[in-house]
Amino acid sequence: MSKKTIDPKYSHDDLPKVKNYLWYHYHCFMKLFSYLYFGVGAVILALLVFPWFHLFIHDKEKFGIKTRAFVSHTFRVFIKFMSIFDVIKLNVDEREALKNLRGKIIVANHPSVLDFVFIMSMVPTATCIVRGSLIHSPLGGVIKSSYITNTTDFDEMCEECKKLLNLGCNVIIFPEGTRTPRHGRNSYKKGAARIALKSGADVQPLYIGGSDKYCLGKNDPWWSYNHVEKLLYDFKILEEIKIDQYKDKSEPIAAKHLTEKMEEVILAGAEAYCKGDHPCKTLNNY
C-alpha cells in the first residue's frame, strides 16, 4: 500500500532508522515464517484434528468449550515458537489471574493483529468475535462451532454471548473495532458495553503495553519489523468494572457511560504504565 493511501493515524514516517540490517531482516523473515506456521497449523486443526472432536462430542456447547481450550493450548505453543526464535517477548505479571477468569467481557486496546492470540493463549475459556468472512475459509467449520462472527444479527450475538458467559466462558472484544492507531485515537464503539449490559457480565479491562508493534499494526508492510528492538508484549490487568452500577439507567445511557468507563480505565492503565519503570514506546496516543 502506498504512503498516499495510508490513513495518517497509521503512518509510520516517524520510525527511527534501522540500526542493524542483519538483525532487522532476520526478524522480518521469522515474522513471516511465523505467519506460515500459524496458517498451516490452523488448517491442520480444522481438517485433521477437530473432526475427531466431532466424533466424540456431539453437543455444540461442549464442543465449543473443548475446541477453544485446545486452541488456547496451540496458541501457547505458537507463542513459545515465536519466543524461541526471538520474534517476540511476552511479559505477564498476573498470568494465574487471567487463567482463572470466568464469565467476563474482556476489553483491551488493540495495537497489533496478534492481540487476540495472546489473550486466548492466557485465558483458556475465552472466545472472541471474529470476521464473518472466515466462515468461507478452511476454518469455517471450527469458526461456526466455536466462535462468534461479526456478521451475526446483534440480538442473536448478544444471546450467544450471554449463553457462553453463563457457562463461565469469557468473551474478548476490542472496543475500538479495529487496531489502535500509532497517532491519535479511535473512538470506542458501544458494542462491548451493550453486550455486557444484555448479558449482565462484569467487564475486565486489560492494557497491552511494551515496545512499538510496528510490523503487526494496521497498514504495516508485510516485510517489516520494529526497527530497533524486539517486539515486547506487556499485559496488565486493570480495574474490573462491575455491571450492577449501570442497571438502573436506560440502555442507551448505560451503554454510553459504560463505554466511557472502559476508555477511562484503559487510558488510566496506559498512563500508569508510561509513568512506571517501562519506557512508553507504544500507544503514546493514549
Side-chain angles (χ1 to χ4, degrees), residues 136-172:
H136 306 294
S137 72
L139 303 176
V142 177
I143 295 296
K144 286 188 288 186
S145 300
S146 306
Y147 299 95
I148 304 166
T149 62
N150 59 8
T151 52
T152 304
D153 175 76
F154 186 76
D155 289 334
E156 185 180 337
M157 183 189 298
C158 289
E159 282 301 313
E160 184 65 22
C161 287
K162 183 176 181 179
K163 186 187 303 181
L164 291 171
L165 290 160
N166 288 340
L167 290 171
C169 298
N170 304 280
V171 178
I172 304 166

Side-chain angles (χ1 to χ4, degrees), residues 71-116:
V71 166
S72 176
H73 172 73
T74 62
F75 281 174
R76 289 194 292 276
V77 173
F78 173 64
I79 290 168
K80 186 67 174 178
F81 171 85
M82 289 193 293
S83 299
I84 289 172
F85 287 96
D86 204 41
V87 181
I88 59 98
K89 179 180 179 181
L90 176 62
N91 181 40
V92 187
D93 291 339
E94 300 176 83
R95 191 181 294 270
E96 199 63 27
L98 284 169
K99 183 179 178 180
N100 293 326
L101 282 178
R102 295 291 185 274
K104 309 293 184 187
I105 299 286
I106 300 173
V107 297
N109 56 308
H110 191 17
S112 84
V113 70
L114 291 179
D115 300 331
F116 84 97

